[in-house]
Amino acid sequence: MAYYTENSPSIAEFFTWINNTNEGSTEAQTLVNLDFFKWLRDETGAQFDIYAFDAGNIDGAAGTYGSTDSARFHAHFPNGFGPAAEKARELGMRLGVWGGADGFGDTKETREKRREMIVSLCRDHGFGLFKFDTVCGVLRKEYRQYFTKMIEECRKYVPELVILNHRNDLGGAQQYCTTKLWESAECYIDVLYSNKVPAPHHRGGTLMRGNPDNLERLMEDHGVCLSSCLDFWADEMVIQVFCRSLILSPEIYGNPWLLREDELRTMGRLMVLKRRFREAMVHADKLPEETFGPNAVSRGDDTIRFITVRNLEWEKKAFSFSVSEASCGRMNRAYARMLHPYETDMGCIEGKEISFEVEPWRTCLIVLSREPLPDIGVKGARLRPMTGPASKAFRGRIYGLPGEEITFRLTGSDRERYTKALLNGKDASALLSGGKCTFTFPGNPVSRGGVKIGALAKAPVPSDAERMYEICAFAADNNALEVRSLERSGDTDVPQIKAARDAFFGQDTFVYRGIWDKYLFDGREDTFFMASTVEGDQRISGGALRIDTGKKITADMLRVTFLAEDGETLDALAAYGGEEPGSLRKLDCMNITAGGREKCRFVPKTVPEITDINVDRVTAEFALEGPVRYLRLEGTPVRVCDARLIKNGETLPREGWRASNLFAPYRMLPCHSFMTGTVHLDSYPAGSRICVALNGRHGTDAVYALLELPDGTLVGAPDKAPSFPANQFEHFIARTQSNNTFYFPILPEYEGRDIKVHVLRMRNGFDGFIADVYVAEGDILPCFAELVLE
């Protein structure tokens, strides 16, 4: 029978899907990942209970039942699961694994072999979780009895074994399972879950998800995916951890090491709070929408309540309610503290309402307690703690706006542990004895985002529409979503974060998908930049290889090397180049040279291993006259191995070069209608963006937005939701025909100016949608002061 009930405290799980796919992980990569979780625990106090291997480590997709005795398994885990299990145990974690519910074969011998393998994972290695997914295969009805006996035996060794049921009809065996998959939904952002309406960031769709019926907790919402489109990840995590508070919460998957260090410290703080109060959070009440907004929940007992609200609108939303309303009559007086998006002590609330504002498309977490929390807090400022409870010194960041003056004091009895306080390196020890501190953030005051600044209207298609389109195509990229996340977060000085990132991007199953434009310029003969075709051709109307060298370069020739499969020809190959995207001239082909037949490493969709395919290495050279920056090639094979500019026989440096390969040639999808408008931009917090929200049906891959500055410069959108097409690591990008939103970072040179906003609707699209323009802020304020208590 199931070990867990609706009143069981939550457990924290990480699972590896998207850190690896059906090819599985390796022992070396797993140990690197566990080193990361040790760092996270030591630095922040974040404690995970389960580290679960996902598909491909034993079983695989489409009925691929495996074995820990196989050569394939031993190639990945030469010492079996032992080293990983031991390291996990040292961290207070158990391992888990994905698989199919069947795999028993058709004979008594094969049944026994499967049973022994699964049971041994619990008996010998203490596995704490099995996820049984129909993606591998379904459990035959006549084999439910064997499944039941197998799980009963596993629980003799691990009574708290978690069983996740993904889409299986298990009949009576369901009673042995811990959860079902709620809504049958997965949360890989812009792949398996994307925005359904225009929103200022990519996670609007997951913020709109509600709660299971009757706030049931023995369900799985598939957790928070930390791999793609990372902005506003914490808003989603607050809902998953504190609002739904399912039996698996927090539950995260993907590549959390792609977050910045400060974000990982915020994740740790949320996990510490959840673990401390998880027993209380098994109890919950729905809150009335007219006061608290959609899907709001109050969790806790008679002594502490966690209230989660959200704003799913484009403008700020004010909330005001009493302690009694928020605690569902359990309290009339309470100490209130906002915990997200920043921590702010709101004082003792009695006989008045709690009032605050929530930024557009954000989540807010409030805690009400009969006694004040002992944790270091601030009143009159916005705090994010950066250290965990085991740290001798407290470090935090006080956030604010340019030019903003704040006066704040410390709260929480934990401040009595310290004798010295520093703010940006200057003594502020008066804070420890109840004194106040005044601080002014550097810079000039700015306007706030969360405002509509204009709307677009139809106009005649301009004569330079092709130029506009090419600028849009060159502004975006088609790299894997994880590459975009890496570039978003920047480098790290933390060895464990860097090692986990390097292990992910360095695994052969990432490299030989060819999903990063840098492979085009790395000088290696075995790598390539590939237009994804493994789940259907992702190229829009045949696509085109575009290269931006970042600056004008004078060279004698362009040399491009292809790896052509059988059936791929260069009959339609054409190259164009120029100084500007809209003035590319056709280049003369000097020669095409076949280098001979060879093997190429590749990761096909249908086989969970790297395989070798036969290709022809072909090099084409094109003559150049005058400087070039932008290059476009049409009619290329899907794999392009190398591209370089040659001058006087020497290869010119390629630092900073970018490429894309999925966007259509303009002649295939010309512009058929046009919208435009003028907006005025004030000065906004750094990290703010212009959002062009398209409400209604416009067509798939059929609209592009750009800005026109007063001097005539055109700027294409580098990002949109759902994301621009990408060469995928796991699954193709969600490509929706309605309600897309385009994003433009607001640069300093835009401030105080009138800027035109344009939208091109291509031949494959539809008219009738509405285009509104907003300014939205980033997920964190741009200024902070370091608070240190020693």
Side-chain angles (χ1 to χ4, degrees):
M1 301 292 288
Y3 176 88
Y4 298 92
T5 72
E6 287 291 328
N7 290 324
S8 297
S10 299
I11 58 178
E13 183 207 10
F14 167 78
F15 65 95
T16 65
W17 187 244
I18 311 175
N19 181 241
N20 63 268
T21 59
N22 286 311
E23 304 80 33
S25 188
T26 65
E27 177 181 302
Q29 186 173 4
T30 301
L31 296 178
V32 168
N33 291 351
L34 288 170
D35 280 339
F36 163 84
F37 286 112
K38 181 179 187 303
W39 170 85
L40 187 68
R41 185 198 64 177
D42 293 347
E43 288 291 318
T44 72
Q47 178 65 59
F48 282 88
D49 300 292
I50 299 289
Y51 179 103
F53 298 104
D54 216 87
N57 291 282
I58 299 177
D59 295 345
T64 309
Y65 290 101
S67 168
T68 53
D69 292 332
S70 69
R72 178 182 181 276
F73 176 81
H74 286 292
H76 288 226
F77 292 89
N79 301 295
F81 282 130
E86 179 59 31
K87 192 159 194 173
R89 190 177 300 113
E90 293 171 0
L91 297 177
M93 302 165 68
R94 292 183 182 274
L95 297 182
V97 72
W98 178 100
D102 203 305
F104 294 105
D106 299 312
T107 68
K108 181 178 180 180
E109 180 182 2
T110 57
R111 288 198 304 270
E112 173 58 24
K113 187 174 182 180
R114 177 72 172 183
R115 182 205 63 80
E116 168 58 21
M117 182 189 71
I118 297 297
V119 170
S120 72
L121 296 177
C122 295
R123 181 189 64 229
D124 301 340
H125 301 301
F127 270 50
L129 180 146
F130 294 134
K131 181 196 296 185
F132 294 115
D133 194 335
T134 56
V135 170
C136 178
V138 299
L139 177 63
R140 292 166 288 179
K141 289 183 178 181
E142 62 270 27
Y143 282 75
R144 288 173 179 170
Q145 58 179 315
Y146 302 115
F147 175 86
T148 296
K149 291 178 181 178
M150 180 178 71
I151 300 304
E152 287 177 340
E153 189 170 354
C154 286
R155 285 209 166 111
K156 292 178 182 177
Y157 302 102
V158 183
E160 67 271 33
L161 177 67
V162 176
I163 305 292
L164 308 183
N165 180 4
H166 277 212
R167 313 173 187 93
N168 285 282
D169 178 7
L170 299 178
Q174 177 61 38
Q175 65 182 314
Y176 290 85
C177 296
T178 311
T179 69
K180 293 181 180 179
L181 182 60
W182 178 49
E183 299 180 329
S184 291
E186 299 184 25
C187 299
Y188 189 4
I189 301 299
D190 281 2
V191 177
L192 298 174
Y193 217 101
S194 60
N195 292 352
K196 297 174 176 60
V197 299
H201 56 79
H202 295 259
R203 292 181 182 254
T206 53
L207 295 194
M208 292 178 69
R209 288 189 83 184
N211 303 298
D213 292 342
N214 303 314
L215 300 182
E216 184 180 351
R217 295 183 59 248
L218 294 182
M219 302 289 284
E220 186 199 359
D221 59 7
H222 213 263
V224 178
C225 183
L226 297 176
S227 205
S228 60
C229 311
L230 295 176
D231 288 351
F232 297 88
W233 64 273
D235 294 81
E236 182 186 349
M237 186 169 178
V238 164
I239 293 172
Q240 203 272 335
V241 173
F242 294 92
C243 185
R244 294 189 202 107
S245 192
L246 305 177
I247 193 68
L248 291 177
S249 70
E251 181 185 25
I252 66 171
Y253 70 108
N255 294 283
W257 28 83
L258 292 178
L259 293 173
R260 301 188 308 268
E261 179 187 351
D262 66 289
E263 294 176 307
L264 289 166
R265 293 179 180 277
T266 295
M267 182 173 76
R269 170 63 174 165
L270 294 173
M271 291 184 64
V272 166
L273 287 168
K274 173 59 184 285
R275 197 167 193 87
R276 190 195 310 174
F277 298 108
R278 60 180 177 170
E279 286 82 6
M281 280 193 277
V282 302
H283 309 293
D285 297 279
K286 295 180 181 179
L287 293 170
E289 184 169 349
E290 57 270 19
T291 301
F292 294 89
N295 302 312
V297 169
S298 174
R299 280 197 176 274
D301 55 23
D302 292 344
T303 64
I304 191 163
R305 306 292 293 188
F306 291 85
I307 294 89
T308 310
V309 299
R310 62 193 92 177
N311 177 11
L312 303 180
E313 301 173 3
W314 279 92
E315 297 181 349
K316 291 181 183 179
K317 184 175 182 179
F319 289 83
S320 186
F321 46 78
S322 69
V323 171
S324 178
E325 289 175 307
S327 66
C328 301
R330 290 171 176 81
M331 304 179 195
N332 292 311
R333 172 184 178 273
Y335 292 88
R337 183 182 290 197
M338 183 181 291
L339 295 175
H340 179 79
Y342 304 96
E343 298 198 22
T344 300
D345 199 313
M346 306 167 82
C348 183
I349 309 296
E350 183 177 17
K352 59 180 179 179
E353 294 201 326
I354 306 167
S355 299
F356 56 94
E357 289 185 328
V358 179
E359 299 294 323
W361 287 92
R362 298 219 67 171
T363 302
C364 184
L365 177 64
I366 305 287
V367 62
L368 302 177
S369 56
R370 289 191 182 276
E371 300 296 329
L373 292 183
D375 309 53
I376 296 295
V378 294
K379 190 169 186 178
R382 312 171 188 90
L383 171 69
R384 282 195 175 182
M386 292 287 125
T387 48
S391 177
K392 293 182 179 179
F394 173 87
R395 287 178 170 78
R397 291 180 175 181
I398 306 291
Y399 284 89
L401 294 160
E404 181 183 14
E405 181 181 275
I406 58 171
T407 298
F408 69 97
R409 64 180 179 87
L410 295 185
T411 63
S413 59
D414 283 355
R415 70 182 187 277
E416 297 171 3
R417 296 162 44 189
Y418 306 103
T419 60
K420 183 180 180 181
L422 300 171
L423 188 67
N424 271 2
K426 296 183 179 180
D427 185 73
S429 296
L431 288 168
L432 298 175
S433 56
K436 295 182 178 180
C437 179
T438 298
F439 180 81
T440 302
F441 293 97
N444 297 318
V446 294
S447 300
R448 297 303 303 270
V451 293
K452 181 178 178 179
I453 58 173
L456 308 188
K458 288 199 69 173
V461 174
S463 59
D464 63 343
E466 181 174 0
R467 171 175 171 252
M468 291 183 172
Y469 170 77
E470 287 294 335
I471 285 170
C472 292
F474 276 103
D477 69 67
N478 302 132
N479 289 330
L481 296 179
E482 287 68 27
V483 173
R484 298 177 190 175
S485 292
L486 180 69
E487 293 172 345
R488 169 259 188 202
S489 294
D491 294 335
T492 179
D493 294 325
V494 178
Q496 295 87 345
I497 299 175
K498 184 178 187 304
R501 292 177 178 181
D502 290 346
F504 172 70
F505 290 108
Q507 60 186 320
D508 284 351
T509 52
F510 188 94
V511 173
Y512 293 113
R513 278 175 165 86
I515 51 182
W516 195 345
D517 62 356
K518 79 169 188 176
Y519 301 142
L520 194 54
F521 315 119
D522 63 4
R524 289 173 52 175
E525 292 193 353
D526 64 327
T527 59
F528 47 84
F529 184 41
M530 176 179 173
S532 288
T533 58
V534 292
E535 291 184 304
D537 197 333
Q538 301 303 304
R539 293 174 292 184
I540 305 170
S541 296
L545 177 66
R546 289 176 172 84
I547 298 172
D548 178 1
T549 66
K551 61 183 179 181
K552 298 175 183 177
I553 298 176
T554 300
D556 301 326
M557 74 168 72
L558 164 68
R559 179 182 294 159
V560 185
T561 302
F562 309 98
L563 301 177
E565 281 191 78
D566 291 340
E568 290 187 313
T569 69
L570 275 69
D571 295 344
L573 179 65
Y576 304 81
E579 298 179 49
E580 301 295 337
S583 58
L584 304 184
R585 58 190 179 276
K586 190 169 184 179
L587 305 179
D588 291 332
C589 183
M590 300 166 61
N591 61 72
I592 296 178
T593 304
R597 197 76 158 169
E598 60 185 73
K599 296 289 187 182
C600 171
R601 303 194 77 191
F602 174 55
V603 185
K605 178 67 178 177
T606 55
V607 180
E609 296 291 345
I610 295 174
T611 189
D612 289 334
I613 59 172
N614 292 316
V615 295
D616 292 311
R617 184 176 295 268
V618 183
T619 298
E621 295 177 335
F622 301 89
L624 295 173
E625 295 181 5
V628 296
R629 172 178 172 178
Y630 298 96
L631 299 158
R632 186 180 75 240
L633 286 87
E634 300 175 17
T636 68
V638 296
R639 293 175 187 80
V640 187
C641 180
D642 186 83
R644 61 185 65 200
L645 293 178
I646 309 293
K647 185 176 177 62
N648 297 326
E650 299 292 331
T651 297
L652 298 178
R654 295 183 281 182
E655 289 79 9
W657 286 29
R658 301 171 58 249
S660 66
N661 56 3
L662 301 180
F663 297 115
Y666 180 79
R667 60 182 172 77
M668 300 297 294
L669 294 176
C671 180
H672 272 217
S673 67
F674 184 73
M675 300 181 78
T676 188
T678 300
V679 299
H680 180 79
L681 293 180
D682 294 330
S683 178
Y684 300 99
S688 297
R689 60 179 77 176
I690 297 169
C691 303
V692 182
L694 308 184
N695 298 273
R697 185 186 184 208
H698 44 64
T700 303
D701 299 323
V703 283
Y704 296 87
L706 68 161
L707 307 179
E708 182 176 346
L709 306 184
D711 65 359
T713 299
L714 296 174
V715 179
D719 187 23
K720 79 175 188 73
S723 295
F724 281 114
N727 296 297
Q728 74 266 20
F729 179 59
E730 187 252 9
H731 188 66
F732 57 80
I733 304 303
R735 292 159 86 164
T736 60
Q737 62 175 335
S738 303
N739 301 321
N740 285 197
T741 311
F742 291 81
Y743 306 123
F744 301 84
I746 298 178
L747 303 181
E749 55 264 34
Y750 298 177
E751 297 174 359
R753 307 179 76 177
D754 291 336
I755 291 179
K756 295 179 181 179
V757 182
H758 306 310
V759 170
L760 306 173
R761 196 275 289 170
M762 317 311 283
R763 182 175 65 190
N764 59 330
F766 307 94
D767 288 332
F769 58 90
I770 297 171
D772 294 321
V773 185
Y774 297 87
V775 170
E777 295 180 13
D779 58 358
I780 194 165
L781 292 176
C783 303
F784 65 85
E786 293 277 2
L787 175 66
V788 178
L789 307 180
E790 299 175 334

